[in-house]
Amino acid sequence: LKNKAEEIQVDGGLGPAKSAAKAVFDTLVAAVLLVALAPVLLGCAAMIKCAGGGEPVLETEARLDHRGTAFELLRFRIPAGGQVGALIEKHNLNHLPELLNVLRGDMSLVGPRPRTLHKAHDVNPGLRPGLTGLWSLSTGTSEEWPDIERRYARTWSIGGDIAILARTIAAVRYKL
């Protein structure tokens, strides 16, 4: 068991204390964001329902968590064609339901993007997948992401997550 913990720590794990602090931070912030963004979430759901012709508002996609276990990633379905789909896609509003994945513990606010099932070999065993991360703010290539993720884990702090979230919000705001 000790060797597994050391392996995870070397591969980019946060360790038990930091993982617990990060989980509490993620849960609290996700809950606050879901309440604050409830009008936006409801507005998106209503627009999709009206434009969707009976299609479901949410869609799911199987993704892998930090242990390599599959979970259902939630997102708004983007209606094909029309202004509603373009609006939701342009502003990345389809990702807002992922806050529910954070609240359920499937994901973190900040971390590597959840891997698809065919990328099981690429899962970082110490980092819960995130809505955003250094990878989304960097200009690096996908080959550099593992190094970016390891650097993130080595230097993790709540202040760092807040800074990444603030930079992400600013980047999304410029798209509005």
Side-chain angles (χ1 to χ4, degrees), residues 9 34-35 74 96 101 107 137 144 148:
Q9 195 65 28
L34 280 166
V35 170
L74 299 169
L96 287 178
N101 287 109
M107 293 176 63
L137 302 170
E144 296 171 298
I148 292 169

Side-chain angles (χ1 to χ4, degrees), residues 22 26 63-66 71 73 75 95 98-99 101-102 105-115 124 127-136 149 152 161 164-165 168:
K22 185 168 176 49
D26 288 338
R63 294 293 181 106
L64 297 171
D65 68 11
H66 59 298
F71 71 93
L73 181 73
R75 64 174 65 149
H95 294 286
E98 292 176 22
L99 287 167
N101 287 109
V102 174
D106 298 329
M107 293 176 63
S108 180
L109 292 170
V110 179
R113 247 347 248 162
R115 303 304 201 261
N124 186 324
L127 291 174
R128 191 172 296 183
L131 294 173
T132 188
L134 286 176
W135 50 268
S136 71
E149 292 169 5
Y152 166 75
D161 273 10
I164 291 168
L165 289 168
T168 300

Side-chain angles (χ1 to χ4, degrees), residues 12 16 34 41 49 55-56 63 82 86 104 110 121 129 142 144-145 151 159-160 163 166:
L34 280 166
L41 290 160
K49 194 69 172 166
E55 294 282 328
R63 294 293 181 106
R104 291 190 320 200
V110 179
H121 65 281
S142 60
E144 296 171 298
W145 289 354
R151 184 179 66 223

Side-chain angles (χ1 to χ4, degrees), residues 39-100:
V40 176
L41 290 160
L42 292 171
C44 286
M47 288 188 308
I48 292 167
K49 194 69 172 166
C50 290
E55 294 282 328
V57 170
L58 292 176
E59 62 185 14
T60 62
E61 183 179 346
R63 294 293 181 106
L64 297 171
D65 68 11
H66 59 298
R67 294 182 191 100
T69 305
F71 71 93
E72 294 297 321
L73 181 73
L74 299 169
R75 64 174 65 149
F76 282 127
R77 185 180 56 77
I78 298 175
Q83 294 178 349
V84 171
L87 175 72
I88 288 171
E89 195 165 27
K90 177 183 176 189
H91 301 299
N92 294 319
L93 297 173
N94 56 316
H95 294 286
L96 287 178
E98 292 176 22
L99 287 167
L100 294 169

Side-chain angles (χ1 to χ4, degrees), residues 24-44:
V24 169
F25 173 78
D26 288 338
T27 301
L28 291 174
V29 173
V32 168
L33 286 172
L34 280 166
V35 170
L37 294 172
V40 176
L41 290 160
L42 292 171
C44 286

